[in-house]
Amino acid sequence: MKLVKTYFLRHPVSTQRFLEILPCFFSWSLILFPIWGSFLCPEIVAYYVIAFTVYWLYRSAVMAVLGFAAHFRIKASQKNDWFADLQKVFPEKYKKIHHLIIIPTYQEPITTLERTLEHLAAQSFPTKNLHVMVTFEKREGEAGKEKAAALEKKFGHVFGHLMTTFHPDLEGEVKGKSSNNAWGGKQAYKILVEKDKIPVENITITSEDADAIFHKHYFSYLTFDFLSQKNPYRCTWQGSIVFYNNIWKVPAPIRVLGAMFSVNQMYILMRHDRLINFSTYSTTLKHMSEIGFWDTDVIPEDYRFFFKSYFSRKGDFEVRPIFLPIYADMPETNSWWGTMVNQYEQLKRWAWGVSDDAYIIKQFIINDDIPFGDRFIRVLKVMEDHFLWPVNWFAVTIAALLPPFLNQEFNRTLLGKTLPQVTSFLLTLALINLFTIILVDALNRPPRPKRTLLSYITQPLEFALFPVVGFFFTALPGIDAHTRLMMGKYLEYKVTKKV
């Protein structure tokens, strides 16, 4: 390992490109293996397909079981009065805690921003201890200034601070959420810590997507857990992101995706080995300032923030679950096709998280002072999710059909004849898990505005679209992102349009 570390330190450019090519090489190899392998080694392909199907069955079972468990934890937390608990357990300490909320925005409708601030104003935690920084992009021009003025007029008296700033296009920065967050966080630090002299140890910082809506007890729960930790400055907090704000307005394929994403985010709260902050999350301003805030030269900011924190703290950093929902929007435009394109672009940007893997793997090799087992598990889980993103659909849906179809000689063997039946049986077992996931989603999504008997019947039937949805909104954007990274055609940040 020391030799590898030395090589990586001496050859930063070549090793960076190697690690950028690696995910695409890996995923394309697994996608194409059932095709060429059907001619050369069909038996190995068959066992590969069976192994992958068993893996898929296991993953779906774990997601279903833990998703159901998370559902009960979330429901219990929603019923609990977290602010009353704060007053009882930390009657004086909680009054000293302040929360900074960064809301990065670009071309977001004023109605969306107003909705977000209205729900922040409804928090059970004292709103005068909430300090909101809405960070616009300077290139939005007069429209951004008009929205900033409107928000300040309507909400300026509600919070401890309602701050607005305009992030300029700076040399060396990548346009997007990460650089905008960093700008807003630094500007807010100057106001709260340097000007108002609020102790930095008493401030948390939250990155909130402009369309996100917090449960009313989120900041009371966050404060309670912050004060309960021996060292809260080595923590970040993650709530359950559920894409339910507009779930009944989007087309059925997008609704199916929203359901799967939402249950997955519930389930992940139960997995300490897989839990990484995503989309909307909180940490401490002390920690954030010590690591230099968010990186400004990347598009995906959440995984980068976690691993930047994890490696800078020598592994002494964890994500703590908050079992409360954070409601988010699915992509939505004024046309069916526009919504589909928007969803694809959003998922391609999420899949672009694979671009972080080069940084993560390199840090894994360089930081050999962190216990090997701990950092190996962390990095392995990320690589598993990112590397297999484009592969899963192909391996589960069509790979089993290829060896007997392409190789007639293999088709006449016992293994060749039974391969489709074996995989079909395993996938049928997985349907039990899918039904559980559908149930968890149904128990958590908001009621349908116009409920009819037909709507109750058709809602679960929408999940029959899952194989098609999985191809167009999982496999394809994953392949797109992986291939772009391999070719060095780096992605530019595109804001997901929502109405």
Side-chain angles (χ1 to χ4, degrees):
M1 184 63 77
K2 289 184 178 180
L3 292 176
V4 177
K5 175 181 177 180
T6 302
Y7 185 84
F8 269 71
L9 291 173
R10 290 180 178 176
H11 303 86
V13 177
S14 59
T15 53
Q16 175 74 16
R17 279 303 294 148
F18 167 76
L19 292 175
E20 289 178 344
I21 293 169
L22 181 62
C24 186
F25 175 80
F26 183 88
S27 58
W28 270 115
S29 296
L30 291 185
I31 291 170
L32 296 176
F33 173 58
I35 298 176
W36 62 262
S38 295
F39 297 102
L40 300 180
C41 50
E43 293 84 2
I44 297 177
V45 173
Y47 290 121
Y48 157 75
V49 172
I50 293 172
F52 208 102
T53 309
V54 171
Y55 162 80
W56 184 257
L57 176 62
Y58 164 76
R59 286 289 300 267
S60 65
V62 172
M63 179 178 173
V65 172
L66 294 185
F68 217 100
H71 157 75
F72 289 109
R73 291 284 300 271
I74 291 169
K75 290 302 181 184
S77 291
Q78 286 180 285
K79 293 177 181 178
N80 188 54
D81 189 338
W82 287 95
F83 185 62
D85 287 351
L86 261 182
Q87 293 175 306
K88 182 179 180 180
V89 181
F90 304 105
E92 296 301 324
K93 288 184 177 180
Y94 85 87
K95 298 176 183 178
K96 300 177 182 179
I97 303 303
H98 295 257
H99 301 286
L100 167 62
I101 301 102
I102 308 293
I103 305 175
T105 175
Y106 178 61
Q107 297 182 339
E108 202 78 44
I110 184 66
T111 52
T112 299
L113 295 172
E114 288 177 337
R115 183 189 68 182
T116 300
L117 292 178
E118 284 167 359
H119 281 82
L120 283 175
Q123 285 289 307
S124 61
F125 194 79
T127 53
K128 290 302 180 180
N129 285 38
L130 302 183
H131 310 276
V132 183
M133 170 64 83
V134 184
T135 174
F136 295 85
E137 293 287 358
K138 189 175 182 179
R139 61 182 178 276
E140 193 171 346
E142 288 302 316
K145 294 179 181 178
E146 291 173 4
K147 284 186 276 190
L151 294 177
E152 289 170 355
K153 181 179 180 181
K154 186 173 181 179
F155 297 99
H157 65 285
V158 175
F159 305 103
H161 291 82
L162 177 62
M163 305 163 280
T164 58
T165 187
F166 297 87
H167 173 223
D169 293 337
L170 299 175
E171 187 71 26
E173 288 192 352
V174 173
K175 297 176 183 178
K177 179 182 174 183
S178 192
S179 57
N180 200 357
N181 264 350
W183 174 268
K186 293 172 183 176
Q187 299 305 309
Y189 184 93
K190 294 176 182 178
I191 295 172
L192 298 181
V193 179
E194 297 179 3
K195 181 182 177 183
D196 292 352
K197 304 302 181 183
I198 300 175
V200 69
E201 294 82 5
N202 294 347
I203 307 174
T204 74
I205 180 170
T206 296
S207 172
E208 180 181 11
D209 282 0
D211 63 304
I213 295 176
F214 285 114
H215 186 274
K216 67 177 182 179
H217 286 315
Y218 178 87
F219 286 99
S220 295
Y221 189 144
L222 173 62
T223 307
F224 190 93
D225 203 71
F226 171 88
L227 292 173
S228 301
Q229 299 305 308
K230 291 182 178 179
N231 190 353
Y233 311 109
R234 297 294 184 269
C235 299
T236 185
W237 288 267
Q238 179 64 58
S240 176
I241 309 290
V242 288
F243 298 89
Y244 291 153
N245 279 341
N246 58 344
I247 192 72
W248 296 115
K249 296 180 181 179
V250 295
I254 308 301
R255 200 154 50 238
V256 171
L257 276 175
M260 299 303 294
F261 292 159
S262 299
V263 178
N264 183 69
Q265 288 301 310
M266 295 179 207
Y267 136 79
I268 211 73
L269 294 181
M270 305 292 289
R271 292 289 301 269
H272 181 267
D273 59 331
R274 286 187 176 274
L275 182 56
I276 293 177
N277 50 275
F278 168 73
S279 179
T280 295
Y281 51 91
S282 304
T283 188
T284 61
L285 186 58
K286 181 178 187 293
H287 168 71
M288 187 64 81
S289 61
E290 288 175 351
I291 66 169
F293 291 85
W294 291 271
D295 287 343
T296 60
D297 58 348
V298 295
I299 288 180
E301 101 295 344
D302 35 28
Y303 272 52
R304 173 58 73 92
F305 161 72
F306 171 79
F307 280 101
K308 180 180 181 180
S309 302
Y310 177 80
F311 287 117
S312 67
R313 299 304 186 190
K314 306 301 181 185
D316 183 18
F317 193 79
E318 66 169 329
V319 183
R320 293 191 55 78
I322 289 183
F323 288 97
L324 287 175
I326 301 173
Y327 297 96
D329 289 356
M330 292 297 288
E332 180 188 3
T333 67
N334 294 320
S335 69
W336 185 90
W337 179 249
T339 299
M340 296 298 169
V341 172
N342 243 13
Q343 180 64 84
Y344 179 88
E345 291 296 330
Q346 183 190 62
L347 289 169
K348 183 171 69 175
R349 191 178 76 240
W350 287 5
W352 189 251
V354 72
S355 61
D356 273 338
D357 288 7
Y359 166 84
I360 294 169
I361 296 171
K362 185 174 289 188
Q363 293 300 315
F364 163 77
I365 293 170
I366 293 173
N367 288 274
D368 52 7
D369 49 351
I370 301 175
F372 178 83
D374 186 69
R375 73 181 197 272
F376 177 76
I377 292 297
R378 274 293 183 186
V379 174
L380 179 65
K381 296 300 184 182
V382 172
M383 291 174 61
E384 177 187 350
D385 291 340
H386 286 177
F387 282 36
L388 295 181
W389 183 315
V391 178
N392 292 319
W393 186 89
F394 292 96
V396 172
T397 57
I398 64 173
L401 304 175
L402 294 177
F405 177 74
L406 296 176
N407 190 326
Q408 290 303 308
E409 183 178 345
F410 176 70
N411 189 34
R412 289 189 288 269
T413 67
L414 179 61
L415 182 58
K417 289 181 180 297
T418 57
L419 177 61
Q421 288 86 346
V422 171
T423 56
S424 178
F425 171 74
L426 293 172
L427 291 176
T428 301
L429 290 179
L431 285 177
I432 300 173
N433 304 322
L434 178 60
F435 292 147
T436 304
I437 291 169
I438 293 172
L439 177 60
V440 173
D441 169 64
L443 292 171
N444 285 275
R445 71 166 64 178
R448 196 168 195 143
K450 296 180 180 179
R451 291 180 286 181
T452 64
L453 178 61
L454 182 62
S455 69
Y456 282 111
I457 296 173
T458 58
Q459 180 178 332
L461 293 180
E462 291 176 351
F463 285 84
L465 296 170
F466 190 64
V468 177
V469 169
F471 175 72
F472 286 103
F473 294 114
T474 302
L476 280 188
I479 291 172
D480 193 343
H482 279 217
T483 306
R484 284 173 180 269
L485 182 62
M486 182 181 70
M487 302 298 292
K489 296 181 178 179
Y490 300 106
L491 198 67
E492 292 185 5
Y493 191 95
K494 292 184 179 180
V495 175
T496 304
K497 296 180 182 178
K498 298 167 184 174
V499 297

